[in-house]
Amino acid sequence: MRLRLPAVVGCNHRGFTLSVTLHDRLQFLQPVAQRGLFNQIQRGLEKEGLRVTHKGDLAQTEHPKALGSALTNPHITTDYSEALLEFITPAVSKLDDTLAFMQDLHRFSYRHLQDELIWPASMPCKLQGNESVPIAQYGRSNTGTMKTVYRNGLSYRYGRIMQAIAGLHYNFSLPDQLWPALQHLQGDKQPLETFKSNQYFALIRNFRRYSWLLLYLFGASPAIHKSFVEGKQHQLETLDDETLYLPYATSLRMSGLGYQNNAQASLKICFNSLTNYVTTLSHAIKTPHKPYAEIGVKVGEEYRQLNSNILQIENEYYSDIRPKRVAKSGERPSEALLKRGVEYIEVRCIDLNPFEAIGINKSQARFVDTFLLFCLLENSPQIPDDECEQLDVNHHQIVNFGRQSNLMLHTPEGEISREAWSHQLFDQLQAVAALLDSGLEQPEHQNALDLYRPMIDQPELTPSAQVLAGIQAAGGFVPFALQQAVAQAEQLNNTEMDKARQALFSQLAETSIQQQADIEAADQISFEEYLANYMANLG
């Protein structure tokens, strides 16, 4: 597909845009959208889910061998806990294929879970204290040991219970042909790779400004089982004997709930440029933290953590969104970003939808695509410190009190109600949805906006309100989630898998076990030496 490039709109002598607006970009992209450019958007899903018993207790069994090696299987692995399954789809351009792949990953897993269920909620099931959450095991190779030691470090730093929270990560990348067109329109003279990374960071900045809307519309964790905060101070109210909640909460998962002694609260990770992001993140990885030093790295024969710095590795930084680049073997994520730029972004603030067997539905995905493209095409100035603080306040307000009428949020221009700002954003999203739909047979993105817009003025329609109503009807958080889990297990077990995918998953389960054995056999140095080499590469 060839793009016809217009004359450059309003640029200064350094090639920076002076007057290109969201409307200009939408108008410019309309012809190529009609020819299917945005049908090439690629997305992939990573979805977590706890294995539980039919009583709602966390499974204490090992990761099922029939699912393959958690170290080497590319599609079925574990996250923090041995009981926390993680399902990963490939990145493809057809949304229906992504969702079908995720459905079949669940179907395949249920064929091998015996009498266990996949917990459908983001907040965990009944827990019997910190030690009841088993840390994931990846075999005896240096690579596998490092993954387990990293998780051991999280246990010492934050506690295991917090790590039992599950979510859905939405990986999103735009077509390669979009970037030279936007670069020409904006009169940017930098290398294309630099421009692309800058634009992804512009998207991230706007995401941070407006992601409260996703938390409001898709938040689905307004309540928890009381075992989650056993022995901790909290501001939650009692709903029933077992359930705690906040009446207007949208996403307790994305609140500060469960974080203890969190050194990350002081981190100032900057998203104003790729260089600033990597520099501030790398600083945290290299900076010692006294409370973590007191834990110790190796005590006796036990490795308690990889190091005693503020962050052990990049992945320990918890953020709503991350710039990503697939790293080469032995390459650090930040190193890959600096060398080759941003490849895609990972949205991390989406709660599992307990009413969906795979945690998300097609309308949600269409809305997220619309929202992310809007974040890219809308002008995105850098975020100064005072605005950054306002964004944190907005986040706190929405996750804890988001369904409260006339909740006031902060903007650089002053306060605005959640309802008024939501309608303003939906008005802007409407034009972006129309652009995306111009390459489809049906107006799927506009239909998604039509589905979610009533939730602005009717908070009782939101997933968080529906979950709360379901909890009350079922007599508690655990009975509600179990009802959903049983129904979803029955649905998945009674529907057919794609035969090609079933064969693929079976083959990967078998070959991944052999791959793990090969990695273990290939190790030539001790873990102590392996870890020392790794830490030396921090620079």
Side-chain angles (χ1 to χ4, degrees):
M1 182 188 303
R2 297 188 62 182
L3 302 179
R4 175 175 292 180
L5 303 178
V8 176
V9 180
C11 300
N12 64 16
H13 68 282
R14 290 182 295 176
F16 293 110
T17 305
L18 291 178
S19 59
V20 179
T21 65
L22 173 65
H23 176 76
D24 294 328
R25 297 182 183 102
L26 292 171
Q27 288 292 107
F28 167 59
L29 293 171
Q30 189 63 44
V32 292
Q34 291 173 347
R35 298 201 296 274
L37 175 68
F38 291 106
N39 294 345
Q40 299 172 40
I41 287 174
Q42 290 207 323
R43 63 190 70 72
L45 301 177
E46 302 169 33
K47 186 259 187 184
E48 301 155 354
L50 290 168
R51 289 186 291 112
V52 302
T53 70
H54 278 261
K55 292 183 178 180
D57 296 313
L58 187 64
Q60 299 298 306
T61 52
E62 294 181 353
H63 182 67
K65 189 172 183 179
L67 301 183
S69 164
L71 179 67
T72 52
N73 190 326
H75 298 304
I76 304 176
T77 181
T78 54
D79 192 77
Y80 174 80
S81 174
E82 187 75 355
L84 185 53
L85 290 167
E86 183 173 8
F87 304 104
I88 304 168
T89 74
V92 297
S93 58
K94 192 172 181 181
L95 178 57
D96 287 339
D97 289 347
T98 301
L99 300 176
F101 197 99
M102 184 62 82
Q103 289 271 5
D104 278 346
L105 284 173
H106 283 68
R107 291 189 181 99
F108 180 80
S109 297
Y110 260 119
R111 294 340 187 233
H112 302 290
L113 286 187
Q114 298 178 2
D115 61 346
E116 293 176 348
L117 298 167
I118 300 173
W119 193 249
S122 279
M123 299 307 286
C125 57
K126 289 186 291 185
L127 300 172
Q128 308 298 325
N130 192 66
E131 299 304 309
S132 70
V133 182
I135 294 176
Q137 303 296 312
Y138 298 95
R140 57 182 177 82
S141 69
N142 288 329
T143 303
T145 300
M146 182 169 170
K147 290 170 74 72
T148 297
V149 171
Y150 165 63
R151 286 156 175 77
N152 212 30
L154 298 179
S155 173
Y156 277 102
R157 292 171 177 220
Y158 312 108
R160 299 185 188 183
I161 286 176
M162 187 192 80
Q163 308 298 329
I165 296 173
L168 185 135
H169 299 168
Y170 197 95
N171 298 320
F172 176 91
S173 65
L174 288 147
D176 287 341
Q177 290 174 295
L178 175 68
W179 304 113
L182 282 181
Q183 185 176 27
H184 181 86
L185 177 67
Q186 298 182 189
D188 194 299
K189 304 300 183 184
Q190 300 178 89
L192 183 61
E193 181 184 284
T194 303
F195 173 79
K196 179 179 174 181
S197 290
N198 288 344
Q199 292 301 296
Y200 271 126
F201 269 86
L203 184 161
I204 289 170
R205 289 194 298 275
N206 275 339
F207 182 92
R208 297 191 65 224
R209 290 182 171 100
Y210 308 126
S211 59
W212 61 264
L213 182 62
L214 292 184
L215 295 169
Y216 175 76
L217 294 174
F218 298 150
S221 53
I224 63 169
H225 187 267
K226 66 179 183 179
S227 62
F228 186 81
V229 290
E230 200 76 52
K232 301 176 185 176
Q233 290 188 337
H234 60 81
Q235 302 297 318
L236 302 176
E237 299 180 21
T238 298
L239 185 64
D240 57 54
D241 290 344
E242 303 261 309
T243 308
L244 301 173
Y245 81 122
L246 287 177
Y248 300 106
T250 60
S251 179
L252 293 179
R253 164 180 169 259
M254 295 303 297
S255 73
L257 196 63
Y259 285 73
Q260 298 182 55
N261 190 27
N262 189 358
Q264 294 193 29
S266 64
L267 291 181
K268 298 295 182 183
I269 304 299
C270 180
F271 290 91
N272 284 332
S273 73
L274 173 58
T275 302
N276 284 346
Y277 173 77
V278 171
T279 299
T280 51
L281 193 58
S282 297
H283 176 74
I285 296 170
K286 299 173 186 176
T287 302
H289 187 57
K290 185 178 179 182
Y292 296 162
E294 292 171 354
I295 293 169
V297 175
K298 186 180 183 184
V299 179
E301 294 302 311
E302 179 198 19
Y303 275 95
R304 293 186 171 181
Q305 51 188 340
L306 296 175
N307 56 54
S308 57
N309 299 334
I310 295 176
L311 300 177
Q312 298 175 87
I313 56 176
E314 289 95 333
N315 285 350
E316 189 174 342
Y317 174 57
Y318 299 102
S319 59
D320 293 1
I321 187 170
R322 285 178 180 165
K324 301 280 284 199
R325 158 70 63 176
V326 175
K328 298 177 180 177
S329 178
E331 188 178 44
R332 300 179 60 81
S334 55
E335 182 185 0
L337 280 172
L338 274 181
K339 284 183 178 178
R340 299 185 300 283
V342 182
E343 185 177 9
Y344 65 97
I345 56 103
E346 177 188 48
V347 175
R348 301 164 52 81
C349 67
I350 301 175
D351 283 354
L352 298 183
N353 183 339
F355 302 105
E356 299 291 339
I358 61 170
I360 190 172
N361 60 39
K362 190 173 185 179
S363 294
Q364 285 179 282
R366 290 303 191 198
F367 187 94
V368 172
D369 286 348
T370 306
F371 181 84
L372 293 175
L373 185 59
F374 162 73
C375 287
L376 174 74
L377 298 180
E378 171 70 324
N379 287 335
S380 181
Q382 294 194 350
I383 300 176
D385 288 345
D386 58 344
E387 185 184 2
C388 192
E389 292 172 3
Q390 290 178 346
L391 300 182
D392 290 342
V393 171
N394 289 346
H395 178 104
H396 172 82
Q397 290 291 89
I398 287 291
V399 298
N400 291 298
F401 314 108
R403 283 181 284 109
Q404 188 174 328
S405 296
N406 293 313
L407 181 72
M408 301 306 291
L409 301 176
H410 298 276
T411 75
E413 292 76 34
E415 288 193 336
I416 185 173
S417 73
R418 191 263 306 156
E419 291 90 336
W421 199 359
S422 296
H423 280 298
Q424 288 180 14
L425 287 173
F426 265 74
D427 289 344
Q428 293 176 291
L429 289 169
Q430 198 69 45
V432 179
L435 182 77
L436 289 167
D437 284 336
S438 61
L440 299 177
E441 294 181 2
Q442 300 294 327
E444 295 182 11
H445 300 84
Q446 293 173 85
N447 289 343
L449 293 187
D450 292 342
L451 177 65
Y452 294 115
R453 188 158 196 158
M455 294 181 185
I456 297 174
D457 298 308
Q458 301 176 70
E460 66 274 12
L461 299 178
T462 60
S464 56
Q466 295 295 306
V467 166
L468 202 54
I471 290 171
Q472 292 171 310
F477 171 64
V478 169
F480 162 74
L482 277 176
Q483 285 179 7
Q484 298 301 122
V486 169
Q488 290 165 10
E490 184 177 352
Q491 170 200 336
L492 291 163
N493 279 319
N494 291 335
T495 51
E496 291 297 319
M497 287 182 64
D498 177 88
K499 286 184 170 49
R501 278 196 285 264
Q502 184 172 10
L504 171 66
F505 298 158
S506 296
Q507 181 184 23
L508 286 173
E510 184 176 337
T511 58
S512 66
I513 292 173
Q514 183 58 51
Q515 287 170 339
Q516 177 180 323
D518 292 342
I519 292 171
E520 291 172 348
D523 279 346
Q524 299 295 318
I525 59 176
S526 67
F527 178 70
E528 187 172 19
E529 186 177 350
Y530 177 88
L531 182 58
N533 292 340
Y534 179 85
M535 295 308 301
N537 288 334
L538 285 175

